[in-house]
Amino acid sequence: MDRPARAAASAPGKVILFGEHAVVYGEASLSLAINRRTRVQGEPRPDATTVNGYPLDTVHHGYIHQALRAGWQGGPLRLETHSDIPSASGVGSSAALSVATVAVLQRLRGEATDPRQVALGAFETEFETQGAASPNDTTVSSAGGGVLLAPRALDLPGVQPLWEIHRGERRWAAHRVRLPSLPLVVATCARKSRTSEQVAKVRRFVEHNAFGRDVVKEIGRITLEGLHALDRGDLRRVGQLMNRNHECLHTLGVDSPELARLIDAARKAPGTFGAKITGAGGGGSIVVLTEEPEEARRILEPLSLHAFVVQPDLHGVLIEA
Ligand code: MEV
């Protein structure tokens, strides 16, 4: 395949229905790609690499810097990024940036786009930049649609194996999941949150506390029960399990007063089945399963930085030029 003079790729954000944090320890997680995307465009330039017109900087462009370090031996590049995914808000902005950047570099190297290779490269990018990560967010962003990560390949109705990911002693099996249409709302609080800090906080708890490890295992069980409830189309049960998952995240220490306020308002809204943190927590977003998504969005909007009804995105990474 020829090396193009210019390449562009986009990748979606995500919501996690079940399993954040626990997935870092190899437990199951279930996520959905959403129709908010990050687009990256790249082309050679004569002198130093720039991002959106600024010199490449390890602090401000950490994910791009890492993706280039691992996957680019060519000359300087002009990179432009554009995103409609709220940043540092638990809805997958860094994974989408990593996925789209890795895909652009793959194209500029003259290689065909392979979502699995993109997902693996983007996972390494996230892991090295954050100091720890699971492949959850990068797999969902690369594959699109509903994605289940589990400690081993599962043979279940509506679930098809995608690929496996290894790092150190951990192993995750990624699956495509056919999800029913889910009326979901995301609300984002004003407090931003760094995934690396929340993951490190949970690690301190889990490493030193057997109860913490039990909570992580309980999240894994909730995720698999949630998967079965979704397969039956039992949204009431799914909502109850989301609430239980939220209580576990609260116990792991990643709740915050801002998120608790949103959860409280969401649970009081008419038609709510359940609500939980989505993503790393500390700040960021909640996800609500509700019979009345427009009404929930209207109630949460004045309390949030962003509140939107989720539309799934069945496309993962896309090459756009
Ligand atoms: C963040 O969106 C999800 C976490 O589980 C971290 C990870 O899986 O890398 C908190």
Side-chain angles (χ1 to χ4, degrees):
M1 186 173 272
D2 289 342
R3 286 169 185 246
R6 189 172 144 264
S10 73
K14 58 78 187 57
V15 289
I16 302 181
L17 297 171
F18 296 105
E20 48 274 271
H21 287 291
V23 66
V24 174
Y25 302 91
E27 296 294 335
S29 61
L30 182 60
S31 308
L32 179 67
I34 64 175
N35 76 338
R36 290 180 166 240
R37 294 194 150 247
T38 294
R39 186 173 191 272
V40 176
Q41 180 176 310
E43 61 189 319
R45 56 167 278 152
D47 37 32
T49 294
T50 59
V51 180
N52 298 330
Y54 294 96
L56 177 71
D57 167 332
T58 52
V59 176
H60 293 105
H61 311 127
Y63 293 94
I64 293 179
H65 180 260
Q66 181 57 37
L68 287 166
R69 227 167 67 117
W72 186 245
Q73 263 110 44
L77 295 175
R78 178 202 314 276
L79 294 163
E80 301 290 330
T81 71
H82 177 270
S83 184
D84 57 13
I85 307 172
S87 66
S89 300
V91 280
S93 62
S94 61
L97 178 63
S98 302
V99 166
T101 305
V102 167
V104 162
L105 297 180
Q106 205 173 63
R107 278 298 295 128
L108 289 174
R109 289 196 305 266
E111 296 164 16
T113 305
D114 171 0
R116 175 176 169 273
Q117 284 305 334
V118 171
L120 299 182
F123 170 44
E124 288 303 316
T125 300
E126 278 226 316
F127 194 98
E128 294 300 331
T129 311
Q130 292 176 186
S134 83
N136 184 71
D137 298 6
T138 41
T139 304
V140 182
S141 184
S142 191
V147 171
L148 171 79
L149 257 57
R152 62 188 176 284
L154 298 178
D155 185 10
L156 293 171
V159 173
Q160 286 166 343
L162 274 174
W163 53 70
E164 294 211 350
I165 306 130
H166 301 255
R167 198 172 212 284
E169 77 228 25
R170 295 247 180 268
R171 171 169 177 249
W172 296 265
H175 306 75
R176 154 83 55 239
V177 180
R178 212 173 343 100
L179 291 174
S181 154
L182 290 175
L184 296 167
V185 173
V186 163
T188 301
C189 74
R191 186 199 281 231
K192 302 248 174 200
S193 160
R194 273 178 181 271
T195 300
S196 54
E197 283 167 17
Q198 301 307 316
V199 169
K201 185 175 175 182
V202 171
R203 164 145 303 159
R204 286 194 293 276
F205 183 40
V206 169
E207 271 176 4
H208 297 110
N209 193 310
F211 176 58
R213 293 192 285 281
D214 287 346
V215 175
V216 161
K217 288 212 169 65
E218 173 65 5
I219 295 177
R221 278 192 291 273
I222 291 172
T223 302
L224 293 177
E225 202 184 329
L227 181 70
H228 290 296
L230 282 162
D231 186 50
R232 296 193 305 274
D234 185 351
L235 297 195
R236 196 162 299 281
R237 184 67 187 143
V238 175
Q240 287 167 354
L241 291 164
M242 286 170 70
N243 289 343
R244 266 178 56 197
N245 191 158
H246 180 80
E247 304 325 323
C248 292
L249 292 168
H250 176 85
T251 306
L252 291 180
V254 298
D255 204 353
S256 70
E258 294 86 348
L259 290 169
R261 196 161 153 247
L262 287 177
I263 290 281
D264 192 43
R267 288 189 183 156
K268 285 184 183 141
T272 297
F273 293 120
K276 62 179 274 294
I277 290 169
T278 185
S285 302
I286 66 162
V287 60
V288 187
L289 180 66
T290 166
E291 239 167 357
E292 297 191 36
E294 264 314 321
E295 180 63 1
R297 192 198 60 74
R298 196 188 59 73
I299 290 171
L300 291 168
E301 191 166 42
L303 308 172
S304 322
L305 212 53
H306 311 272
F308 56 90
V309 176
V310 169
Q311 303 297 338
D313 192 335
L314 300 182
H315 302 290
V317 62
L318 289 175
I319 296 299
E320 300 195 345

